[in-house]
Amino acid sequence: MNWSEGYVTDVGYTRGYYRELSSAHQSFSLAATGHEPPDLEKPFTKVELGCGYGVSLLIEAANYPHAQFFGVDFNPEHIAWAKRIASDAGIDNVHFLEMSFADLLGSPIPPAEFVVFHGVWSWVSDANRENITQFLDRRLKSGGVVMVSFNTLPGWSALQGLRELMMRRYRSLAGPSQARILQALKFAGDFKSVGAQIFARSPGLAEHLEKISAGDTRYLAHEYFNQDWGLFYHHQVADRLAQARLSFASSCKLIDNIDRLNMPPSALALAEQVAPSERETLKDIYVNRMFRYDIFSRGLEKSKIVATIDHVLNGRFVMIDDRSKIASGEVPLPMGKSKLKSEMYDPVLRRLEAGPATGQELAIQAGAKPLNHVDLIEVLSILIDLGVIGIALPPAGLEDRKLRTLRLNAALQRRIMKGDDMAWLASPMTSAGVIVPDFIQLFMAAHDQGVEPISFAWQTLKALGKRMTRDGKTLKDEAENLAELQARFEIFKSDIGPRFTKLGILN
Ligand SMILES: C[S@@+](CC[C@H](N)C(=O)[O-])C[C@H]1O[C@@H](n2cnc3c(N)ncnc32)[C@H](O)[C@@H]1O
């Protein structure tokens, strides 16, 4: 076996940002569930295992100059890219290490307050899960926080058969992974057409195959086609990590922490029959959950919410997107679509549209009737999970963060101009990355260079072989692309640009 240990390495992963990896996000989740979070204003050390291209770590490192960040990945293409961005941007508190999980214990990584690994646990061998567990055992500080995401049972059970089907064809082929993946998808489609009963008897499976067949093969490669692929119940992961003296604290999907949004009163009453430690699995079974982002901690005691609510009340929040995701008033929750109570949400959004505010200000000043702690946590959790608002960074240090994030964004934008797919930028106002599609980044570059934006964006897209899309369809001819760019530029001028200026992303 070569260094890749059966993990797909000839197709780079997507250059994504995940707010669940952010320390501020994890700290909010902890405080909102009665756990005292680490103090992010003091120096801290954070490690990301399997960091991919390191986008989440780079964005966080730019905003926390007093902390040290370590990213580990064995794929040289990922680490070389991440190192180049860090060096181009002059972000010197992030260190990318090209190494395998097997070498973690021999690494110079110091004891850490945070160790996170997203998209790793389900996709590596059991031996590597053991390497990670031992690393946590030895290098996580007391009171430290671990974030592990994994493909969850029972939600994934139906898809397991589909993955097996595709994998049989994939393993029968030789050559580059991407071509094999396309063949495997086609094979699964053909198998469905000849009447395979797995599709007839598993609701939604045929639609899922159709959806992934139209998806990004880079994501599919890393999701379905690694040699190792494990599905877990929450309690299985909890038992494994207990070996490293870790216990479950909360979920980074903030909505998943709110029991009444995961089970109706009748199911919650039944859940009383099982021990609290077993209830997470029960919730997953109730909503047929497919993915978890769990926070485990070493020694963070769970208290009543009154003990930690001051972290939420004194925390600051900021609008990072417009209201379009909640314009219909309905949002996707674990039990299905649900209507938001506008009397609770509107005043909070109105206040945040005027500028960043503390939890206390949102609760008291937002509406005629102050929000109680439970409602405040619900409103903030839902709006953060939807990406409408973010956790704001403190006013102290803003000028330094502005310089650092502008440098990072410029380095990222230079890569976009060379054709790298990257849709995230850093804001000095919030710990969260902000999504910025490529054509908007080109409008921003035109703004910085003082050139005409529409033809600049079009000439760059054309040179990179890219095209605009409308309603999911790629626009082929020049006139259509120019018209679409013009329409998008109007929205940029009236809405996105002013918001980005407030977020310190646009000068
Ligand atoms: C699905 S990707 C997730 C990347 C990143 N965490 C993110 O969320 O964008 C998993 C990453 O783990 C890395 N990886 C897998 N097995 C590894 C191993 N044994 N040692 C080090 N890195 C590994 C892969 O190269 C890949 O970048």
Side-chain angles (χ1 to χ4, degrees):
M1 174 105 51
N2 71 5
W3 62 270
S4 69
E5 302 175 40
Y7 193 93
V8 175
T9 49
D10 66 334
V11 186
Y13 193 55
T14 47
R15 293 179 179 89
Y17 168 84
Y18 302 92
R19 77 178 79 92
E20 292 78 9
L21 287 166
S22 126
S23 311
H25 187 89
Q26 290 158 15
S27 296
F28 176 87
S29 169
L30 287 167
T33 53
H35 302 84
E36 191 85 30
D39 183 351
L40 300 181
E41 292 188 31
K42 294 206 177 115
F44 63 90
T45 298
K46 172 163 187 167
V47 184
E48 184 179 351
L49 304 176
C51 63
Y53 288 100
V55 174
S56 305
L57 214 52
L58 284 159
I59 288 179
E60 195 168 7
N63 270 324
Y64 291 87
H66 56 283
Q68 292 295 319
F69 296 83
F70 294 83
V72 173
D73 204 292
F74 68 1
N75 188 328
E77 192 187 313
H78 293 173
I79 294 295
W81 192 91
K83 275 187 162 176
R84 187 168 47 218
I85 298 287
S87 147
D88 286 358
I91 306 289
D92 58 6
N93 59 330
V94 62
H95 316 280
F96 289 104
L97 309 172
E98 185 193 315
M99 73 163 61
S100 158
F101 301 146
D103 299 326
L104 279 172
L105 284 182
S107 75
I109 300 174
E113 276 81 2
F114 291 89
V115 181
V116 297
F117 35 107
H118 172 51
V120 169
W121 193 256
S122 282
W123 298 268
V124 295
S125 64
D126 199 57
N128 273 322
R129 284 190 281 274
E130 186 55 27
N131 289 329
I132 292 173
T133 308
Q134 287 194 15
F135 177 75
L136 298 175
D137 188 32
R138 313 270 170 84
R139 299 280 170 92
L140 185 75
K141 288 189 184 172
S142 308
V145 171
V146 169
M147 201 297 285
V148 47
S149 67
F150 55 93
N151 276 349
T152 306
L153 286 170
W156 264 93
S157 355
L159 295 182
Q160 200 169 6
L162 172 62
R163 190 254 176 185
E164 282 300 323
L165 172 60
M166 296 191 297
M167 202 60 180
R168 293 315 103 210
R169 178 71 180 130
Y170 178 84
R171 283 167 56 104
S172 313
L173 296 163
S177 299
Q178 259 165 324
R180 292 161 72 197
I181 290 168
L182 293 175
Q183 286 301 315
L185 288 163
K186 179 179 178 309
F187 181 73
D190 291 346
F191 216 59
K192 175 172 77 72
S193 315
V194 295
Q197 287 300 294
I198 183 172
F199 292 99
R201 293 177 193 211
S202 316
L205 195 62
E207 290 77 12
H208 185 80
L209 174 60
E210 209 170 299
K211 193 171 118 205
I212 65 172
S213 299
D216 184 343
T217 44
R218 290 175 308 166
Y219 159 73
L220 293 179
H222 292 252
E223 174 64 81
Y224 290 93
F225 293 96
N226 290 308
Q227 174 183 291
D228 295 295
W229 196 71
L231 306 173
F232 300 95
Y233 285 104
H234 163 80
H235 67 85
Q236 294 172 312
V237 178
D239 286 350
R240 185 71 177 260
L241 295 183
Q243 292 167 19
R245 291 162 291 143
L246 296 170
S247 39
F248 174 70
S250 61
S251 171
C252 274
K253 268 279 169 259
L254 304 173
I255 298 171
D256 296 355
N257 291 321
I258 302 174
D259 285 353
R260 67 181 182 288
L261 301 182
N262 287 266
M263 290 200 269
S266 50
L268 285 171
L270 282 175
E272 292 292 323
Q273 294 178 25
V274 304
S277 58
E278 308 297 334
R279 285 190 202 147
E280 285 305 304
T281 304
L282 221 57
K283 272 169 25 188
D284 292 343
I285 295 171
Y286 192 85
V287 299
N288 201 31
R289 206 182 316 280
M290 292 184 73
F291 201 73
R292 288 187 68 99
Y293 297 87
D294 280 349
I295 301 179
F296 286 81
S297 82
R298 174 167 296 147
L300 287 185
E301 209 181 323
K302 182 168 169 67
S303 329
K304 294 246 179 296
I305 191 67
V306 288
T308 57
I309 191 69
D310 55 321
H311 290 276
V312 178
L313 295 173
N314 299 332
R316 296 170 77 245
F317 303 89
V318 59
M319 202 80 184
I320 56 174
D321 204 345
D322 59 20
R323 291 190 190 206
S324 50
K325 283 183 195 138
I326 48 170
S328 71
E330 273 201 334
V331 291
L333 292 181
M335 288 191 289
K337 286 213 161 173
S338 181
K339 222 167 167 43
L340 296 180
K341 287 187 191 144
S342 60
E343 66 276 20
M344 265 163 63
Y345 286 80
D346 278 352
V348 168
L349 289 166
R350 260 201 313 277
R351 174 64 188 84
L352 287 172
E353 274 162 352
T358 63
Q360 180 87 1
E361 287 165 344
L362 294 175
I364 293 172
Q365 298 170 17
K369 195 167 153 246
L371 292 174
N372 63 36
H373 295 167
V374 171
D375 287 345
L376 177 67
I377 288 174
E378 176 184 314
V379 170
L380 294 173
S381 297
I382 289 184
L383 293 177
I384 294 171
D385 270 0
L386 290 171
V388 177
I389 69 170
I391 295 161
L393 292 162
L398 176 64
E399 287 313 308
D400 187 25
R401 293 199 305 268
K402 252 190 197 158
L403 291 175
R404 292 168 64 88
T405 52
L406 281 177
R407 286 204 313 258
L408 174 61
N409 290 348
L412 292 170
Q413 281 177 324
R414 282 195 290 275
R415 295 306 311 173
I416 288 160
M417 305 289 270
K418 290 179 193 265
D420 291 354
D421 277 340
M422 238 302 303
W424 295 91
L425 294 178
S427 151
M429 300 295 292
T430 170
S431 61
V434 179
I435 193 156
V436 188
D438 53 5
F439 61 90
I440 294 195
Q441 304 215 22
L442 295 174
F443 294 156
M444 290 167 63
H447 170 91
D448 289 346
Q449 294 172 27
V451 296
E452 198 282 312
I454 311 297
S455 56
F456 174 82
W458 170 236
Q459 292 306 330
T460 314
L461 288 177
K462 202 161 68 165
L464 296 173
K466 295 184 173 182
R467 294 291 179 270
M468 294 296 290
T469 58
R470 190 189 305 139
D471 303 329
K473 286 214 180 75
T474 304
L475 303 177
K476 295 220 170 67
D477 70 59
E478 177 157 342
E480 279 181 317
N481 276 277
L482 286 169
E484 186 63 17
L485 281 166
Q486 185 66 54
R488 304 284 187 123
F489 186 67
E490 294 309 318
I491 301 172
F492 175 72
K493 267 198 311 194
S494 61
D495 169 41
I496 300 170
R499 186 152 43 81
F500 282 5
T501 305
K502 279 194 203 161
L503 284 171
I505 294 179
L506 191 65
N507 266 326

